[in-house]
């Protein structure tokens, strides 16, 4: 998910409702950063066979990789397959080495034939993992000329 390639991906160990508030993907920076924006490339499919939709995520940080603090929760994410951008609205500047994105709400399931012969219902939903294809995190760089810009 951190290789600039949307053909590769990371998946959670947890599946279905077990992903909520549990599954996360993170990054450890060499030096503390104040993350002000992040983008993630995800899947969306809602039809008769698949229900795959990330509805909300949380951005959190840590100074030791053990104790985490919520920075901001992003809800009502767009129903798209592709890039979703989240911009931090908190005005306080906080630099930390450890940052992660947690799945707070979503649906991850696929319909399959019932494995029991003659079983009812004829099809059932099985849980799927949370899948992220790519993540980019951004901070604000201030120069001596006070020009501010996004960098990754």
């Amino acid at each position: 998910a951190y290789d600039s390639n949307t053909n590769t991906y990371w998946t959670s160990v947890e599946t279905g409702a077990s992903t909520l508030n549990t599954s996360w993907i993170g990054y450890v920076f060499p030096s503390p950063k104040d993350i002000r924006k992040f983008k993630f490339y995800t899947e969306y499919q809602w039809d008769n066979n698949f229900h795959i939709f990330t509805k909300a995520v949380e951005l959190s940080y840590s100074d030791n990789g053990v104790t985490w603090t919520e920075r901001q929760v992003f809800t009502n994410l767009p129903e798209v397959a592709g890039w979703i951008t989240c911009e931090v609205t908190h005005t306080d500047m906080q630099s930390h080495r450890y940052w992660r994105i947690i799945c707070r709400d979503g649906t991850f399931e696929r319909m399959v034939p019932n494995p029991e012969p003659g079983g009812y219902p004829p099809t059932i939903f099985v849980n799927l993992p949370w899948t992220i294809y790519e993540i980019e995190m951004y901070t604000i760089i201030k120069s001596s000329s006070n020009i501010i810009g996004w960098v990754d």
Side-chain angles (χ1 to χ4, degrees), residues 3 5-6 9 19 32 42 56 62 78 85 90 102 106 110-112 115 119 123-124 133-134 149:
D3 61 359
N5 183 350
T6 56
Y9 55 88
T19 62
T42 188
S62 174
T85 300
H90 291 282
I102 304 170
R110 174 173 65 103
M111 185 175 286
V112 298
T123 57
I124 59 172
Y133 291 83
E134 189 63 34

Side-chain angles (χ1 to χ4, degrees), residues 48-113:
N48 291 336
N49 296 315
F50 288 91
H51 293 165
I52 302 171
F53 176 28
T54 302
K55 298 177 185 176
V57 295
E58 171 189 318
L59 178 65
S60 58
Y61 61 83
S62 174
D63 292 317
N64 58 16
V66 176
T67 305
W68 294 89
T69 302
E70 175 188 303
R71 179 65 182 266
Q72 186 170 339
V73 175
F74 301 86
T75 58
N76 300 316
L77 297 177
E79 299 177 16
V80 297
W83 288 104
I84 296 176
T85 300
C86 301
E87 293 197 33
V88 176
T89 58
H90 291 282
T91 56
D92 58 327
M93 302 293 278
Q94 296 186 16
S95 294
H96 306 277
R97 285 191 58 220
Y98 300 84
W99 288 89
R100 71 181 183 179
I101 300 166
I102 304 170
C103 181
R104 290 288 296 263
D105 192 10
T107 302
F108 313 101
E109 58 190 12
R110 174 173 65 103
M111 185 175 286
V112 298

Side-chain angles (χ1 to χ4, degrees), residues 118-131:
Y120 184 84
T123 57
I124 59 172
F125 278 101
V126 295
N127 292 328
L128 299 173
W130 183 40
T131 302

